[in-house]
Amino acid sequence: MTERAISIFLVEPKQENFGSVLAVLDKAGLPATLIPIQDQFGFMRELQAGLPDVVLVCYQEKSFGDFDCLGLHKKLAPQIPAIVIAPGFGEEWAVEMMRGGVSDIVLQQKLYKLPAAITRAMAESFHRRQQQQKEQSLQLSQQHLLDLFKMTPVGVFRCDSEKNCFYVNDRFCELIGLSPEEAFGPGWIKALHPEDREFILREWYEKKGVVEETKAIYRYQKPVSGETIWVLGQSKSELDSEGNVTGYLGSVTNITRLKIVEEALKEKNNYLTKVNKELDNFVYSASHNLRAPLTSLMGLINLLRLETGKPLELHQICSMMENSLLRLDGFIRDIIDHSRNSRLFIQSVEVDVKALIAEVLEEFSLADNYNRICIDVNVQQEVPMFTDPARLRIIIRNLISNAIRYQNNTLLPQISITAQITGQESIFQVCDNGIGIRQQHHERVFDMFYRADEHRSGSGLGLYITREVIDKMGGKIELTSQPAKGTTVKIVLPNQQAGKAADSYNTETRTGWLPD
């Protein structure tokens, strides 16, 4: 049942069938509004008032020639279905009516078929209008797409299922140096760079009629000028409603500038890598070459001390020389530590924590006032510790060095070194009762060359290198300190598993340098 009454023009000079038509439609449950039309003027008048859903024409041979409503219908409202009611007709006449735009013919003596004819004609008319709208929409979309292709800054091409080119936009022709006619079919191939042609043709033509998305970087060389450009070529399959490949749509983007920048960056990177390696070698070599004469001078100073009968002043001068050399030696050691931490892979092997701490303390045994320092070492170890021994040594050495250097001369120096080793992590703490660090310096003590106390010796690299090493090892560092009360530094390092440690160690022994 329709939602509204169907509007029907009933064209009949004497309206003899008005009642019959209305009764048939009513019996069929097809609500309709019949608008009687007796001549062509009435037809045009009603048509101007509003279009009907259907036009019914009662054909009467003698009177129909006086006004050809069918002709008016075809001219003014061809989209409205027209049905002819006739007392009888021959085949030729029926064909002529259908060619003239009539949707259906119903015999007058079989008027009961009229409701079905009207319903069918309206459905066909609706379907036809929808199809026309789709075609118009498709044509509009295609036109918009072509307009977009003309405006886009990239080259656009289309190919059939055999990958023969049948469309290119102006930008595509500009990029490859060919006219559209020259680029059609396989013509675009002649613009491929000779060194890239084999690769592109193999990749492009090996898969025909296959659903795919492709992307490649290659070169075109314009046939006339010889100009070479780098492009990013992309394509995607076009499919019909059943999923079959009907063609390919693709784009070509000029990336020549990007390639030039990329090559320049690659050259700069290679240059910087070379310079960095040379600088690292220089630091390493220079550090060792500087330490050699320093070691000799320290030996000579010890010999001078053994000489008897020398004035006290000579001994003091030797001590001053020794202190200066020790500071220089410490600075060079810091440079070496920083260089090694920056360039070497993490080495992970089993470490004897107690022995390592003892070795580091032994390095400071000749320091001034070392014997008066109360040092407590407490190592609690549940499982073996796997870590980088060289880096752990740097951490412990720098923390102990600071604890010794920044003693509080008014108190008996105390240094507490604790270590707690578990299967997951290792926690180290170095505590002292030294001069401490003021709160405003806490955030900056880990900066390079920053010194919280300018009156004490030191390079300003110790805590900076310590933090860099800990970050490299995937650990954390925390510092708490109060002036005149002392400083506590807490280190948390991951305890590597034995299997991972072996792999890391093998990597370390294969190459001593970080990958570029």
Side-chain angles (χ1 to χ4, degrees):
M1 185 69 68
T2 59
E3 295 181 357
R4 65 175 181 84
I6 300 172
S7 175
I8 300 175
F9 283 3
L10 180 59
V11 181
E12 187 179 20
K14 297 182 180 181
Q15 294 295 312
E16 296 175 344
N17 293 298
F18 185 93
S20 301
V21 171
L22 191 59
V24 168
L25 296 179
D26 186 58
K27 184 177 181 180
L30 192 65
T33 300
L34 286 181
I35 302 172
I37 295 176
Q38 295 179 314
D39 53 34
Q40 57 183 344
F41 301 108
F43 185 90
M44 294 180 64
R45 182 177 61 252
E46 295 295 341
L47 202 59
Q48 290 175 356
L51 293 177
D53 295 308
V54 179
V55 174
L56 294 182
V57 178
C58 294
Y59 179 75
Q60 296 178 12
E61 187 175 357
K62 292 181 179 180
S63 60
F64 197 76
D66 295 338
F67 58 96
D68 190 359
C69 286
L70 284 176
L72 289 175
H73 162 267
K74 184 177 181 180
K75 182 179 180 180
L76 301 178
Q79 72 275 22
I80 305 301
I83 298 175
V84 172
I85 301 173
F89 56 86
E91 183 177 346
E92 292 182 1
W93 180 87
V95 171
E96 183 180 354
M97 290 291 104
M98 300 298 283
R99 286 177 178 174
V102 173
S103 300
D104 206 349
I105 302 173
V106 177
L107 288 173
Q108 192 171 1
Q109 59 269 32
K110 295 184 179 180
L111 209 55
Y112 61 88
K113 292 186 177 181
L114 182 60
I118 292 174
T119 303
R120 184 169 56 251
M122 289 181 61
E124 291 174 353
S125 176
F126 177 78
H127 176 73
R128 189 162 50 249
R129 288 197 302 271
Q130 277 195 325
Q131 193 64 28
Q132 290 173 350
Q133 290 174 355
K134 288 181 180 178
E135 291 174 357
Q136 291 173 356
S137 177
L138 179 60
Q139 291 176 357
L140 187 62
S141 297
Q142 290 177 340
Q143 186 59 47
H144 288 169
L145 188 60
L146 292 175
D147 293 339
L148 181 62
F149 286 170
K150 290 180 180 179
M151 294 185 292
T152 184
V154 302
V156 178
F157 64 89
R158 294 185 69 190
C159 299
D160 59 22
S161 59
E162 292 298 311
K163 296 191 173 179
N164 294 310
C165 181
F166 65 86
Y167 171 83
V168 291
N169 69 347
D170 294 340
R171 179 58 175 163
F172 184 92
C173 297
E174 180 185 340
L175 289 174
I176 70 172
L178 296 175
S179 66
E181 293 74 19
E182 292 173 326
F184 288 162
W188 59 276
I189 295 174
K190 65 172 77 70
L192 286 172
H193 193 281
E195 295 178 7
D196 298 340
R197 185 172 299 166
E198 180 180 353
F199 161 74
I200 293 299
L201 294 182
R202 182 177 66 251
E203 294 294 317
W204 180 245
Y205 282 113
E206 270 187 355
K207 298 178 180 179
K208 295 181 180 180
V210 176
V211 178
E212 63 176 359
E213 289 188 40
T214 64
K215 182 182 294 186
I217 294 177
Y218 55 98
R219 290 167 290 179
Y220 279 112
Q221 189 175 54
K222 296 182 179 181
V224 177
S225 65
E227 178 187 358
T228 297
I229 63 168
W230 282 94
V231 299
L232 169 63
Q234 302 178 89
S235 68
K236 185 176 182 179
S237 310
E238 292 183 303
L239 309 178
D240 60 17
S241 58
E242 297 179 0
N244 300 316
V245 175
T246 59
Y248 297 86
L249 174 64
S251 66
V252 173
T253 305
N254 188 352
I255 60 169
T256 304
R257 291 184 180 180
L258 292 178
K259 290 295 290 185
I260 292 174
V261 172
E262 180 183 355
E263 290 300 321
L265 288 175
K266 188 180 297 183
E267 290 180 7
K268 289 183 179 180
N269 185 59
N270 292 336
Y271 172 76
L272 291 175
T273 300
K274 179 175 178 294
V275 169
N276 193 33
K277 186 174 181 180
E278 291 174 351
L279 180 61
D280 187 78
N281 291 335
F282 167 78
V283 171
Y284 182 82
S285 300
S287 300
H288 283 76
N289 290 337
L290 285 171
R291 291 196 69 191
L294 295 180
T295 303
S296 299
L297 285 173
M298 292 177 69
L300 292 173
I301 290 172
N302 288 329
L303 289 176
L304 287 174
R305 281 178 173 170
L306 295 175
E307 293 292 334
T308 58
K310 298 295 180 179
L312 179 62
E313 290 79 6
L314 180 61
H315 183 77
Q316 293 176 342
I317 291 173
C318 289
S319 296
M320 294 173 62
M321 293 174 61
E322 182 181 27
N323 290 334
S324 297
L325 291 175
L326 286 173
R327 284 196 299 271
L328 183 57
D329 183 65
F331 182 76
I332 294 173
R333 184 194 295 270
D334 288 341
I335 294 176
I336 295 174
D337 289 345
H338 181 54
S339 175
R340 285 175 175 171
N341 180 62
S342 299
R343 301 297 295 170
L344 293 180
F345 280 107
I346 297 292
Q347 185 183 25
S348 189
V349 297
E350 185 174 352
V351 176
D352 187 336
V353 178
K354 290 183 179 179
L356 187 144
I357 294 175
E359 292 171 2
V360 173
L361 290 173
E362 181 65 25
E363 296 179 22
F364 295 97
S365 61
L366 298 178
D368 292 340
N369 300 322
Y370 178 80
N371 292 330
R372 65 186 292 266
I373 302 174
C374 179
I375 299 177
D376 177 59
V377 178
N378 182 13
V379 178
Q380 299 179 6
Q381 190 165 359
E382 302 175 0
V383 295
M385 179 181 181
F386 290 89
T387 190
D388 189 320
R391 285 182 167 86
L392 181 59
R393 184 184 298 273
I394 292 173
I395 295 170
I396 300 299
R397 183 198 301 129
N398 283 338
L399 297 183
I400 293 177
S401 174
N402 283 349
I404 293 175
R405 180 178 294 116
Y406 298 106
Q407 299 176 29
N408 189 337
N409 295 327
T410 62
L411 300 174
L412 179 66
Q414 294 182 354
I415 299 176
S416 170
I417 305 169
T418 63
Q420 185 176 1
I421 315 301
T422 66
Q424 299 298 322
E425 60 184 14
S426 303
I427 301 175
F428 294 86
Q429 280 198 157
V430 177
C431 305
D432 63 59
N433 63 342
I435 61 174
I437 304 172
R438 293 177 182 175
Q439 182 66 35
Q440 61 264 34
H441 299 298
H442 285 191
E443 292 185 0
R444 298 197 59 193
V445 292
F446 296 105
D447 293 347
M448 181 182 286
F449 297 120
Y450 186 81
R451 295 168 60 190
D453 188 348
E454 295 292 338
H455 302 291
R456 300 291 179 115
S457 62
S459 64
L461 288 173
L463 286 179
Y464 166 76
I465 293 174
T466 300
R467 187 186 63 179
E468 291 292 305
V469 171
I470 292 170
D471 288 344
K472 189 98 172 179
M473 298 172 73
K476 297 182 295 184
I477 181 171
E478 297 177 2
L479 179 144
T480 56
S481 182
Q482 294 184 21
K485 291 187 177 181
T487 301
T488 298
V489 180
K490 178 181 178 182
I491 308 296
V492 180
L493 298 174
N495 189 4
Q496 303 292 339
Q497 299 298 319
K500 293 182 179 179
D503 293 341
S504 179
Y505 180 76
N506 291 335
T507 302
E508 174 71 19
T509 56
R510 285 197 300 270
T511 172
W513 303 100
L514 289 173
D516 292 327

